[in-house]
Amino acid sequence: MSKRGYAASKKLLTGLIGAPIAHSASPAMHERAAEALGLRGHYQLIEVAGADAAGLRMMLEGVRRLGFAGVNVTYPYKEAVVPLLDELAPGAAAMGAVNTVVANNGRLIGHNTDTTGFARAVAPLLAPSGNAVAVIGTGGVGKAIAFALASLKVSDLRIFDSETARAEKLASLLASHGGATVAKSVEDALDGATGLVNGTPVGMLPNRGMPVPAALLHEKMWVADAVYSPLITPLLAAAQAKGARIMTGRELAIYQAADAFELFTGLAPSTEVMGEAFDEVMTARSAAYHAA
């Protein structure tokens, strides 16, 4: 549907495919952004664990036929949906990961707003030159983060994954985008690094683990985490204790959502409105967690 069509209909149906997603702040962000633009928005959580290709295809067929403007896709399906779509935007095709699917005249088109969102969020942390940034995790969000950093001309990009073959595959995809070095270990990735990004789910509640040992963190680096539940993950708490600058998953969550909303509708949402909705969700969740 065109931008004009949304303005006329005042209705917007979007959603999220993944598991587990009950904690997602996306419904609040998207519905509040729609309301601010005079639309009646509904953002449907589509939580199906363990879906195979046939199951994903059925969900996507529902998106195609039931009036969705599109859906977001999260763990563990960001890579699995790629071969099931009709078309990929260049950025999504380059990395082989999708977090936003736009329904356009019966066709499903894959995009990756984790990349554009993270680039917007992390840019203020990067030094003008000599950046050495380590990315831990090379799954769907790790891929997007690595491509975002490459787009920002990070001069020394190191990637590490416990599955070496997956990291090597990402390095090959990045070869024509500035390149990346596959680290042999977390210690190797962080040796001399000025920045660190956690692209794994480690630290997401109820998990309280850390993707890197606290001993490797120091005050001369910045540390970012894609996880936003909790907002201050064990990794970020340890980084703060060492005097490092930190970036929570808040900015990535908001900017990727804003970019997705614009792809769904052709309308630019207020990131301030989305941020307020995100903060309300996180405040309520924190209160519930501490009351439990």
Side-chain angles (χ1 to χ4, degrees):
M1 188 181 291
S2 68
K3 174 178 175 180
R4 182 177 299 174
Y6 282 113
S9 71
K10 301 287 188 180
K11 296 178 182 179
L12 176 65
L13 176 60
T14 53
L16 174 65
I17 295 174
I21 55 175
H23 68 281
S24 178
S26 292
M29 288 192 290
H30 281 263
E31 290 176 4
R32 189 77 62 81
E35 181 183 6
L37 289 167
L39 303 175
R40 285 189 292 153
H42 176 70
Y43 191 95
Q44 178 68 42
L45 292 180
I46 307 168
E47 180 167 343
V48 179
D52 58 10
L56 279 175
R57 188 175 288 108
M58 287 179 63
M59 285 184 267
L60 291 170
E61 194 62 24
V63 171
R64 191 195 308 271
R65 294 176 178 272
L66 297 177
F68 280 81
V71 291
N72 291 122
V73 180
T74 191
Y75 181 85
Y77 303 128
K78 291 183 181 184
E79 295 166 294
V81 299
V82 169
L84 306 177
L85 303 175
D86 299 308
E87 184 181 339
L88 296 175
M95 73 184 75
V98 162
N99 83 316
T100 300
V101 177
V102 176
N104 186 359
N105 296 320
R107 290 176 60 78
L108 300 181
I109 305 166
H111 300 261
N112 199 302
T113 66
D114 282 335
T115 295
T116 57
F118 188 78
R120 291 171 66 181
V122 80
L125 291 174
L126 298 179
S129 62
N131 289 301
V133 182
V135 177
I136 308 301
T138 58
V141 72
K143 276 185 174 182
I145 287 167
F147 269 84
L149 292 166
S151 75
L152 294 170
K153 310 300 181 187
V154 167
S155 58
D156 182 3
L157 180 58
R158 298 97 171 270
I159 55 177
F160 172 77
D161 197 294
S162 57
E163 296 182 29
T164 304
R166 190 159 67 171
E168 290 175 343
K169 181 178 179 180
L170 175 56
S172 69
L173 295 175
L174 287 163
S176 59
H177 297 266
T181 302
V182 176
K184 297 177 181 178
S185 65
V186 168
E187 290 78 7
D188 184 32
L190 284 173
D191 185 19
T194 56
L196 163 67
V197 187
N198 175 36
T200 78
V202 175
M204 181 186 296
L205 288 173
N207 181 287
R208 298 299 291 167
M210 284 179 53
V212 305
L216 299 178
L217 307 175
H218 55 81
E219 65 180 3
K220 294 182 179 180
M221 71 191 313
W222 57 264
V223 179
D225 205 323
V227 171
Y228 68 74
S229 181
L231 211 53
I232 300 298
T233 61
L235 171 66
L236 294 183
Q240 277 186 317
K242 292 293 183 75
R245 291 179 295 161
I246 68 166
M247 185 180 85
T248 70
R250 179 184 188 273
E251 285 73 21
L252 170 57
I254 293 167
Y255 287 138
Q256 65 79 22
D259 288 351
F261 187 97
E262 187 163 1
L263 287 170
F264 293 148
T265 66
L267 302 170
S270 166
T271 54
E272 182 177 347
V273 167
M274 287 185 137
E276 290 171 355
F278 177 90
D279 292 341
E280 288 175 13
V281 170
M282 297 307 297
T283 297
R285 183 174 304 150
S286 177
Y289 178 76
H290 289 295

